[in-house]
Amino acid sequence: MKYMLLICAEENAELNAEEQAEIEPAMDAWLKDVDGRGARLLGSQLRPVSDATTVRMRGGDVLVADGPFAETKEQIAGFDVIECADLDEAIDVASRHPVARFGSIEVRPFWTE
Amino acid sequence: MTPDVGEAVAGAFREEWGRVVAALIGTTGDWDLAEECAQEAFASALKTWPRDGVPRRPGAWLTTVARNRALDRLRRSAAEAAKLREVAALAPAGEPGPDDDSGIRDDRLRLMFTCCHPALPLEARVALTLRTLAGLSTAEIARAFLVPEATMAKRLVRAKNKIRHAGIPYRVPPAHLLPERVVGVLAVLYLLFNEGYAASAGADLVRQGLCAEAIRLGRAMAGLMPDEPEVLGLLALMLLHNARRAARVDAAGDLVTLEDQDRDRWDRAAIDEGAGVLDAALRRGRPGPYQLQAAIAACHATAPDTAATDWAQIALLYRRLGQLTPSPVIELNRAVAVAMAEGPAAGLALVAAIEDSGALAGYYLLPATRADLLRRLGRRPEAAASYRAARDLAATDAERRYLDRRLSEATDPA
C-alpha cells in the first residue's frame, strides 16, 4: 500500500544544540533504513513557507497568493512516498523519522479505487 | 416456535455473534458482508432450528451457514473473483474446539485488536467493538451513547472505511506492539463499563446493559489471553464493581455512597469470582493499574462494613497506583483512605496539598472531602463552608441533594 508522509513541524521550532545536532545523522540513518527496505519511493525536504505560492482559480481568474494554503502552527516541511504492507508498518516508518520527535508526521494513504 | 428454541437462538446470538463475524471478516476481508451474512445465518436458525432441533454445536452451524452465504454472494459478484479464489483456497474449517492447540488464534482476538486500533477515533473503537463483537444494533449503540442513530451509523461507516482505505491490518498485533495494544483494548472495555456504570441511576436499560457487555467481552479476552495479568485485572475490577450495583441506588434514584450501602445487596458470587480472577492475575507477579484498582475494590468487597475495612491496605494500594499512573483523583482517594486509617487530620494534610497544587479546581469532591474531614474533626462551621463550596461546584441534582444533606447535618445545632 502506498502512503504519503507529510513531514510537519513548526518552522521556528526551538531545539537545543543537542537536539539540533542529532537531526542530520538521524535523518541519514532513517533514509538508509527505508531505502534499504525498498520502502521509500520518493521524497524531499521542501523550502520553507516563505518561498511558497498558493494558486486558486475562481470565477475564471487565477488568484496568486504568497505563502502556504493554510496558516497553521506546524507547516509541511517535506514529504516522502512510501510503500508498506499495512498501516502498522507505515506507522513504524513514520515514527522513526527524526521530525517525529518534535513535529508531526501525517500518514495519508493513496487513493486507489 | 417453542420458548426453548427461542432461548437457544438468543443464547447462541450472545455467545456466537462475535465469533461468526470475526471468522467471516477473516475469510472474506469484507466487514459489511460479514455482518450481513452473520445476520442471515441467525435468521436461518430461527427458521430451521424449531423444525430440525438445536444443533449440538450451534457456533459451527452458524459459521458454516454464514460462510456459505458469503461464498454465494461473492460468486455472484464478478468483481469479487479474486476474493473468491482466496476463500475457496481455504479448507472449510470447523469451529476450533476449546482445546485447539493448533496455534489458530480465535478470530475474535483479531477482531478485538482491529476494532481498538489506535488509528481509529476512540468513539469509533467503542462503537465498532459493540457492533461486531457484542452484536448490538446501530440503534442500540446510538441509544447507549446518547447520539442520534444516523450519527452512529455514520461513525461506523467511517470507521470501516478507514480500516479498508488506510490498511489497518486484521490481526493480533506482533509481539513488539502487543503490550501497548492490549492497553488500548482494555481502555475501550473499561470505557464501556464506565458508561454502563454511570447509567445505573437512570431507567435506560440499554445503557445499564453496557456493564454486562463489557464483562462478557472481558471474560472472552481473559479466556483468550490468560497470561496477561492486566486483562485478568480488568475483568476482576469490573466484576467487583458490578457486584455492588444493586446497592448503589436508593428508592429515590440517588446514588448511595459506599459506606452507606446495604452490603447484603452485594452479589457475593460476583465478588468471589472477581477475587478469584484477581488472585490469578496477581500470581503472575506483574502488577499494573487494573490489578491495583481491583485489589482496592476487593478490600471493600470483602469487608463486612466500613469500620472493619482494611483502610491502611487501601491507602497503600492507592499510593502504588499513584506511582504507576499519577493523578490528583487517585491522590484524593488516597487522602480519604489515609483519613480512615490514621485519622481525619492526616487526610486533611493530603487534601490541602492537592488544593495547593491547583489540581481538581472545579471538582466538587475536593471541597466535599475537605468538608467531611473537618466535620469529623468537629470543626463544623468550617465544614459547612466547605460543603457550600462543594455544592456550588456540583453538576447534578443528585450530587446537590447529597451535599445538602451533609450541609444540614453540619449546621444542625444538635
Side-chain angles (χ1 to χ4, degrees):
Chain A
M1 283 197 62
K2 281 224 260 290
Y3 301 87
M4 171 80 93
L5 299 184
L6 295 168
I7 316 297
C8 307
E10 275 183 67
E11 286 198 343
N12 304 314
E14 278 175 19
L15 304 172
N16 62 42
E18 196 187 316
E19 290 166 328
Q20 193 65 47
E22 276 177 0
I23 295 186
E24 208 180 308
M27 201 59 221
D28 288 340
W30 185 80
L31 284 169
K32 192 150 174 249
D33 178 39
V34 259
D35 286 341
R37 298 195 221 180
R40 184 169 174 261
L41 304 178
L42 172 64
S44 180
Q45 195 176 352
L46 299 173
R47 293 213 57 89
V49 297
S50 54
D51 291 335
T53 309
T54 297
V55 178
R56 295 178 179 91
M57 247 316 251
R58 298 282 189 274
D61 293 329
V62 179
L63 307 174
V64 177
D66 169 55
F69 81 102
E71 291 295 338
T72 53
K73 196 155 176 251
E74 289 179 325
Q75 296 283 356
I76 301 171
F79 76 97
D80 289 282
V81 176
I82 60 175
E83 176 104 50
C84 297
D86 55 46
L87 185 62
D88 281 342
E89 196 188 321
I91 288 171
D92 180 56
V93 168
S95 71
R96 293 167 193 270
H97 195 289
V99 177
R101 299 173 205 179
F102 57 88
S104 311
I105 316 284
E106 182 175 321
V107 179
R108 196 88 83 90
F110 271 49
W111 195 295
T112 52
E113 284 156 35
Chain B
M1 171 167 41
T2 59
D4 36 280
V5 176
E7 248 174 66
V9 178
F13 184 90
R14 274 193 304 277
E15 279 303 310
E16 307 293 345
W17 172 268
R19 276 202 191 89
V20 176
V21 170
L24 251 62
I25 294 175
T27 53
T28 68
D30 186 332
W31 288 54
D32 290 330
L33 183 65
E35 279 178 44
E36 283 156 21
C37 294
Q39 200 97 341
E40 289 170 33
F42 279 96
S44 182
L46 279 172
K47 276 209 296 281
T48 64
W49 291 5
R51 184 190 69 208
D52 303 338
V54 177
R56 208 172 18 95
R57 290 167 72 217
W61 190 96
L62 290 158
T63 307
T64 305
V65 168
R67 189 182 272 120
N68 289 342
R69 189 83 190 90
L71 276 171
D72 262 354
R73 288 179 53 173
L74 289 175
R75 220 168 260 136
R76 284 178 214 173
S77 160
E80 308 294 353
K83 241 183 232 168
L84 181 61
R85 279 195 295 277
E86 256 174 64
V87 174
L90 291 150
E95 276 289 297
D99 307 314
D100 193 322
D101 265 338
S102 63
I104 299 171
R105 301 288 276 278
D106 191 310
D107 276 319
R108 283 179 304 166
L109 215 46
R110 298 165 76 184
L111 183 54
M112 179 74 97
F113 278 106
T114 307
C115 285
C116 298
H117 196 281
L120 294 170
L122 183 57
E123 307 167 323
R125 292 180 232 167
V126 172
L128 214 48
T129 299
L130 283 175
R131 176 82 200 101
T132 58
L133 280 156
L136 265 64
S137 70
T138 305
E140 286 171 325
I141 304 171
R143 204 154 60 239
F145 289 93
L146 308 172
V147 300
E149 189 177 337
T151 304
M152 187 56 72
K154 224 184 269 181
R155 191 177 291 175
L156 287 164
V157 166
R158 280 209 188 107
K160 291 182 214 171
N161 283 343
K162 172 93 189 255
I163 290 171
R164 193 168 65 247
H165 297 147
I168 292 177
Y170 187 63
R171 63 174 184 182
V172 174
H176 68 280
L177 291 176
L178 204 54
E180 68 200 62
R181 297 292 176 84
V182 169
V183 169
V185 168
L186 297 181
V188 169
L189 290 184
Y190 196 36
L191 199 152
L192 272 178
F193 182 80
N194 280 318
E195 280 294 326
Y197 206 63
S200 300
D204 196 326
L205 294 173
V206 175
R207 280 172 60 70
Q208 289 178 42
L210 290 177
C211 284
E213 291 305 337
I215 288 175
R216 189 171 300 124
L217 290 169
R219 278 212 182 87
M221 276 294 282
L224 296 168
M225 304 190 79
D227 296 325
E228 284 293 327
E230 279 290 88
V231 174
L232 300 177
L234 176 62
L235 176 58
L237 177 60
M238 294 193 293
L239 286 167
L240 290 164
H241 273 332
N242 207 43
R244 306 205 298 253
R245 206 185 178 83
R248 281 188 80 221
V249 183
D250 67 16
D254 285 343
L255 288 177
V256 181
T257 57
L258 184 56
E259 56 192 357
D260 293 329
Q261 286 177 15
D262 177 4
R263 299 192 179 204
D264 288 337
R265 302 187 69 196
W266 287 359
D267 182 344
R268 288 290 148 193
I271 291 172
D272 288 341
E273 188 188 349
V277 171
L278 177 59
D279 282 342
L282 293 172
R283 272 200 295 276
R284 285 180 157 76
R286 281 188 282 144
Y290 289 120
Q291 291 165 83
L292 286 170
Q293 291 177 76
I296 292 166
C299 282
H300 287 300
T302 54
D305 55 49
T306 310
T309 305
D310 191 346
W311 290 104
Q313 173 70 353
I314 292 177
L316 178 62
L317 289 166
Y318 271 121
R319 161 117 60 109
R320 289 178 65 193
L321 184 59
Q323 284 163 347
L324 278 184
T325 53
S327 129
V329 174
I330 290 175
E331 188 59 13
L332 184 58
N333 286 331
R334 186 168 84 88
V336 170
V338 165
M340 294 300 289
E342 299 171 29
L348 209 48
L350 293 175
V351 170
I354 299 173
E355 285 166 341
D356 288 342
S357 78
L360 302 180
Y363 187 42
Y364 85 99
L365 279 179
L366 184 54
T369 305
R370 176 168 20 99
D372 209 62
L373 297 174
L374 288 166
R375 181 177 56 85
R376 281 153 58 185
L377 286 168
R379 291 156 64 175
R380 284 151 59 96
E382 290 167 272
S386 288
Y387 277 126
R388 278 188 203 101
R391 206 189 170 285
D392 286 343
L393 296 173
T396 69
D397 286 338
E399 289 166 4
R400 274 185 283 269
R401 275 199 294 276
Y402 166 74
L403 292 166
D404 280 337
R405 270 201 307 280
R406 291 295 202 193
L407 183 56
S408 64
E409 283 166 15
T411 51
D412 179 356

